[in-house]
Amino acid sequence: MVFKAQRVDPNDADENGNRRQYAVKRIFPTINAAFILVEILILKLVDGKQNNTNLIQAYRLDGQVSLVFRFQKSQPHLTYLTSLDLEGIKHYMRTLLTAVEHLSELGVMHRDIKPTNFLYDPDTRTGLLIDFGLSEVEVDQHGNPRNPATKDNPDVQKIASLQKSMKIKNRTGTKGYMPPEALFNYPS
């Protein structure tokens, strides 16, 4: 579940003097702690850059883990899908693919890209890729990080170790958005 929130501190304002808004993702208590840690470490690695969401804080309260992000104003994709002109579609795709390119440079696979996980506001032409709960780092056949740019990063090594010990491999998201090879569990 995701909630829109504000801090109690009235001085927590943006450059225009408006109170900052946040998105709080409450993770179901039944989710394995290792999966939550992988998500947090990947969010730390991604660092909110290039149209990817940024983790501001993670906390645990009464056994419930919550992740806090900056709020991204957006509209449901069905409300603007048919009204975007060719330039609007190009901008939407460029914004999304910039996020994906950044992940690729880090050796991160999102594994659940779909319209509801890309918050886009056609008025401000801003977009943000969210929900890294199924994300993984790319590893070789031995479970070691594959990306030369990040393989020595301690967080990437920790993620790879967790993926290996938990046998986290090829988890994919929403069936309607899965590629056929994942849907039918074809070997790599």
Side-chain angles (χ1 to χ4, degrees):
M1 276 189 259
V2 179
F3 299 92
K4 186 176 176 182
Q6 292 179 331
R7 287 181 51 168
V8 176
D9 180 3
N11 295 320
D12 184 25
D14 65 17
E15 58 279 352
N16 298 321
N18 299 318
R19 292 202 48 198
R20 290 187 204 280
Q21 297 180 329
Y22 300 93
V24 179
K25 176 182 177 180
R26 296 193 70 196
I27 299 176
F28 292 109
T30 56
I31 302 295
N32 186 310
F35 290 122
I36 298 170
L37 181 56
V38 167
E39 180 176 6
I40 290 169
L41 291 171
I42 286 176
L43 286 164
K44 182 180 170 188
L45 177 68
V46 171
D47 197 26
K49 294 180 180 164
Q50 301 296 321
N51 306 325
N52 288 284
T53 194
N54 63 327
L55 179 64
I56 295 172
Q57 183 176 3
Y59 64 92
R60 184 182 191 122
L61 181 64
D62 297 328
Q64 177 95 45
V65 175
S66 296
L67 308 178
V68 180
F69 305 92
R70 80 173 166 87
F71 178 78
Q72 166 69 32
K73 181 179 174 239
S74 64
Q75 297 176 21
H77 70 281
L78 292 176
T79 62
Y80 61 82
L81 187 64
T82 58
S83 64
L84 288 177
D85 61 9
L86 182 58
E87 285 306 310
I89 293 167
K90 285 180 180 179
H91 188 271
Y92 174 95
M93 291 305 299
R94 193 175 309 112
T95 306
L96 172 59
L97 292 174
T98 297
V100 174
E101 179 182 43
H102 180 62
L103 298 179
S104 178
E105 290 168 355
L106 296 172
V108 172
M109 297 174 288
H110 186 280
R111 295 208 170 276
D112 198 20
I113 296 173
K114 58 186 177 183
T116 55
N117 283 345
F118 184 64
L119 303 179
Y120 188 75
D121 181 13
D123 296 333
T124 59
R125 296 178 59 143
T126 57
L128 198 64
L129 186 58
I130 64 165
D131 196 353
F132 285 74
L134 294 175
S135 298
E136 301 174 21
V137 294
E138 189 177 2
V139 295
D140 63 20
Q141 66 271 19
H142 304 292
N144 299 314
R146 181 173 278 170
N147 188 314
T150 58
K151 70 178 184 176
D152 294 328
N153 179 309
D155 288 337
V156 172
Q157 291 175 354
K158 177 72 174 173
I159 295 164
S161 173
L162 286 166
Q163 288 176 191
K164 190 175 184 178
S165 68
M166 296 286 301
K167 297 183 175 33
I168 299 172
K169 185 178 181 188
N170 298 329
R171 294 182 311 144
T172 52
T174 312
K175 286 188 178 182
Y177 297 96
M178 289 171 61
E181 63 273 14
L183 188 61
F184 296 114
N185 203 22
Y186 290 137
S188 307

